[in-house]
Amino acid sequence: MASVNEIEQQQPLVSVITPTYNRPDYLKDALSSATRQTYQNIEIIVSDNCSLENPQAIVESFNDSRIRFSRNETNLGMLANTLKAFKMARGKYIACLLDDDMWEPDFLEKLVPPLEANPHVILAFCDHYIMDADGKIDTLGTETNSTFYKRTALQEGIYQPFCHLALVDSAVSTATAAVIRRDAIAWDTIPSEVGGSWDMYLNYLCCRSGAGAYYYPAKLTRYRSHENTDTNQSGSRNYQAKISKAKANIFCYEQFMADENLQELRSHFQQEWRQISTTLGIGLLRAKQPKQARPYFVRSLQKKISLRALIALLLSFTPLPIASRF
């Protein structure tokens, strides 16, 4: 029987990327799920973005030599910290484990072999659970999420090309439930403008490579939904987060629309661009910047009449206390 060291030598190294900031309890859960992987040959890169409470003690409590810890002297911003961790990776494959998410023990065991068996596949991905702030699985939320992102009926196998799957259906979650060939991505070329939409842009880079994607039809990770997630913050509760997220999305869709290889999807990208332009304008209204908001409503309406954009534009001419409540 092969020893653990012999098994690890036969397995390609996988780099687990965990950027973190001010989530010590969640971080401990995330790292526990990484260290419990049945796939053993991994390195876990924890990049702390100058948290108020240094999580080094939490990392050291695992007493696991596979964990590499780095702490920024100042806060670099979410994207810069994440890319820093990606660039520290040494593995043949790379997978992102955000500090508030978790993996099932066989996540890597299930997704690495399809990549090893198919050199023309750039990433392998799966479905995932939705859990609440306390770590309890939300059954209804999970199934709603799987259905909305078209994974419910998706068959196991290789999809090539997978542009529609990744950029229209958004079925591929590179930040939550995917393993990627590290050398297939030029990490230094990811522009700062992608901001919190870096996973969407990463999907784009993987698609434009011309390689395929492998889908494994099982829920092998857990996405934690809580009030401080980027998705929830960019909703109605935080207009600054809403503005930042919308600007990042607009940048991404403008890149997609300009790509000659994606012209068959251009109408979808244009529709998303219009909706997000309106969303950005609404965020600016809430920030009490009606003059800055109007051009986004106008350019959205120039492409297609939208009741939402039209009402927002009219509200931008009303007194600020009224407009900022939209």
Side-chain angles (χ1 to χ4, degrees), residues 297-317:
F297 301 138
V298 171
R299 74 179 193 171
S300 178
L301 290 166
Q302 284 176 338
K303 299 293 183 180
K304 186 178 180 180
I305 295 299
S306 160
L307 183 60
R308 177 170 174 254
L310 183 59
I311 292 173
L313 177 60
L314 294 173
L315 278 170
S316 72
F317 291 97

Side-chain angles (χ1 to χ4, degrees), residues 227-253:
E227 63 180 10
N228 291 321
T229 60
D230 186 52
T231 300
N232 287 333
Q233 284 293 308
S234 60
S236 59
R237 65 183 64 185
N238 186 330
Y239 65 80
Q240 291 294 352
K242 191 183 194 74
I243 291 170
S244 296
K245 184 68 172 178
K247 286 182 176 179
N249 283 343
I250 285 175
F251 175 84
C252 288
Y253 280 114

Side-chain angles (χ1 to χ4, degrees), residues 65-184:
S65 61
R66 297 174 301 174
I67 304 178
R68 298 165 58 197
F69 176 72
S70 174
R71 177 173 165 84
N72 303 326
E73 293 183 0
T74 59
N75 191 303
L76 304 180
M78 181 272 295
L79 176 63
N81 185 51
T82 301
L83 290 180
K84 172 196 164 187
F86 274 120
K87 293 172 188 177
M88 289 174 63
R90 299 175 299 197
K92 180 177 181 180
Y93 301 111
I94 197 164
C96 188
L97 173 61
L98 298 182
D99 64 352
D100 51 353
D101 293 340
M102 297 176 67
W103 288 349
E104 299 303 303
D106 57 348
F107 169 62
L108 293 177
E109 179 187 337
K110 291 294 195 299
L111 293 193
V112 173
L115 289 165
E116 283 289 276
N118 300 284
H120 60 290
V121 169
I122 192 171
L123 65 83
F125 70 106
C126 61
D127 201 358
H128 61 83
Y129 294 103
I130 302 294
M131 60 180 174
D132 64 18
D134 297 321
K136 181 180 179 182
I137 291 178
D138 179 351
T139 303
L140 178 59
T142 295
E143 294 312 311
T144 299
N145 181 272
S146 297
T147 300
F148 182 82
Y149 291 110
K150 309 291 179 67
R151 290 188 293 264
T152 304
L154 201 59
Q155 299 298 308
E156 180 176 4
I158 297 171
Y159 294 81
Q160 188 175 8
F162 63 102
C163 300
H164 194 285
L165 196 66
L167 302 178
V168 176
D169 295 340
S170 299
V172 183
S173 180
T174 48
T176 305
V179 180
I180 306 169
R181 291 187 188 277
R182 180 177 62 87
D183 289 344

Side-chain angles (χ1 to χ4, degrees), residues 6-13 38-42 116:
E6 289 173 333
I7 291 174
E8 289 182 357
Q9 290 173 1
Q10 295 168 5
Q11 295 176 329
L13 178 66
T38 53
Y39 187 100
Q40 292 289 300
N41 194 20
I42 63 175
E116 283 289 276

